[in-house]
Amino acid sequence: MPLSNLTSLAPDTFILMGIPGLEQLHVWISIPFCSMYLAALLANAVLLVTIWAERSLHQPMFLLLAMLALADLALSTTIVPKMLAVFWFRAGEISFAACLTQMFFLHFTTLVESVILLAMAFDRFVAICFPLRYGAVLTPPAVAKTGLVALLRGFCIILPCVLLLQRLPYCGHRAIPHTYCEHMGIARLACADIRANVWYGLALPLAAGVLDLALIAVSYGFILLAVARLPSRPARHKALHTCGSHVCVLLLFYVPAAFSALTQRFGWSVAPELHVLLASLYMVLPPLLNPLIYGVRTQQIRDKVVKVFIRPRSHLLRQ
């Protein structure tokens, strides 16, 4: 069949159903989601303003953290407003183009975050294993190039997913049992062979994530070897403490992402409402917790937040 005939079968709109089986609880479920989303916006905005305002934080570690905050904001803002519209107003209709756009930015931003987390692991590796070369290896231009590589890689991996979905015919099924559009959720509505979507959607993005995770593991292997050689216990504790925040963020990112990706394709025994609920939480929980983890565990950030936001206010009150 000619491509023009296939693409003509694309529906005008899809319908996002929210969390199947829990429709009567949507309004109540929306309360914690809305609260977490607003808190995530505030926490990441505070972090970004602090890093921008304080020149002492214009270092690779904090620039990467700012990039992570921007990616978190993009991820949650791509998904949560429409999710809340579904919960509050049952406004589940979304155009085919808007659904593909949401799907693209969802998977694209996830891949970008994976590269940023890899770069943060490399930052810790150089800082602990080669401290004297840190300033020469990790420079602001190097961080900027890392961000560019993350964007280009994410774009090149996810664009074929959009093209694969556009070539499929859709013959009437429009309801997506989810709170947002994602690759396989759209592909399953097609009335055609979707094996290319299944294999590409599983193989390449998953391979990219596994490669990033393997390189992170190698970095931490060298870090642990370097820490073990440090002469004093306080020095070892300090070195490990600088990695603690990054490890927490890694767990928040990779564990739910792996669970969601695998259950979407193989977890037929997982209740649909549980899968959708956890996948939706993944859109708001890491963006909320990432800046809090770094803010609580990193003294430099805590001190600068106080300097930028609290001390000026106290000075005005005294006046």
Side-chain angles (χ1 to χ4, degrees):
M1 184 182 293
L3 182 61
S4 59
N5 290 340
L6 287 176
T7 55
S8 66
L9 293 177
D12 293 330
T13 60
F14 287 129
I15 299 175
L16 294 170
M17 297 173 58
I19 303 177
L22 299 178
E23 290 86 355
Q24 70 279 9
L25 298 176
H26 275 177
V27 174
W28 295 105
I29 294 172
S30 71
I31 296 173
F33 274 92
C34 182
S35 301
M36 287 188 288
Y37 175 59
L38 293 176
L41 291 180
L42 177 62
N44 283 285
V46 168
L47 182 63
L48 287 169
V49 169
T50 302
I51 294 174
W52 175 78
E54 286 296 319
R55 294 189 62 85
S56 62
L57 296 181
H58 294 180
Q59 304 172 26
M61 173 184 173
F62 301 110
L63 295 176
L64 289 169
L65 183 55
M67 290 166 57
L68 181 65
L70 288 172
D72 280 339
L73 287 174
L75 177 63
S76 57
T77 303
T78 296
I79 302 300
V80 178
K82 183 61 179 179
M83 183 193 305
L84 293 177
V86 174
F87 288 160
W88 288 339
F89 311 115
R90 298 185 179 179
E93 284 199 0
I94 183 170
S95 70
F96 181 70
C99 195
L100 290 185
T101 301
Q102 188 184 61
M103 182 277 298
F104 173 84
F105 280 105
L106 163 67
H107 299 305
F108 168 77
T109 309
T110 302
L111 287 171
V112 169
E113 285 205 26
S114 184
V115 175
I116 294 171
L117 292 173
L118 172 59
M120 295 172 82
F122 182 72
D123 171 86
R124 294 298 85 204
F125 163 71
V126 176
I128 293 174
C129 299
F130 303 99
L132 297 179
R133 298 183 60 188
Y134 181 83
V137 174
L138 286 163
T139 61
V143 173
K145 290 177 183 177
T146 299
L148 181 60
V149 168
L151 294 174
L152 289 175
R153 191 189 76 158
F155 180 83
C156 292
I157 291 177
I158 298 304
L159 182 62
C161 291
V162 176
L163 300 178
L164 286 171
L165 290 173
Q166 284 183 323
R167 73 177 179 84
L168 293 173
Y170 300 87
C171 307
H173 299 289
R174 299 192 302 143
I176 300 176
H178 214 304
T179 56
Y180 54 82
C181 298
E182 54 88 31
H183 179 228
M184 287 309 302
I186 301 173
R188 288 198 178 102
L189 299 180
C191 51
D193 188 351
I194 62 170
R195 281 180 293 181
N197 297 75
V198 172
W199 286 111
Y200 184 88
L202 177 64
L204 200 54
L206 185 61
V210 170
L211 175 62
D212 292 344
L213 193 56
L215 293 174
I216 290 170
V218 170
S219 297
Y220 272 96
F222 284 115
I223 287 172
L224 291 175
L225 287 175
V227 169
R229 297 192 189 102
L230 293 176
S232 65
R233 185 173 180 179
R236 291 194 295 270
H237 181 268
K238 182 179 179 181
L240 291 175
H241 180 77
T242 63
C243 300
S245 301
H246 185 244
V247 172
C248 293
V249 171
L250 285 173
L251 293 175
L252 276 173
F253 179 82
Y254 282 107
V255 173
F259 174 83
S260 180
L262 294 176
T263 55
Q264 182 71 16
R265 292 163 175 82
F266 308 115
W268 305 113
S269 61
V270 178
E273 59 270 22
L274 177 61
H275 168 72
V276 174
L277 182 62
L278 292 177
S280 302
L281 275 173
Y282 180 60
M283 298 299 109
V284 291
L285 207 54
L288 169 62
L289 294 180
N290 288 347
L292 298 180
I293 289 170
Y294 272 97
V296 169
R297 293 184 58 89
T298 308
Q299 185 175 356
Q300 287 172 280
I301 294 178
R302 291 200 308 269
D303 294 343
K304 299 306 180 183
V305 167
V306 170
K307 179 181 177 182
V308 172
F309 290 97
I310 298 178
R311 287 180 183 172
R313 183 180 176 185
S314 301
H315 178 69
L316 290 174
L317 290 175
R318 285 196 299 270
Q319 290 180 340

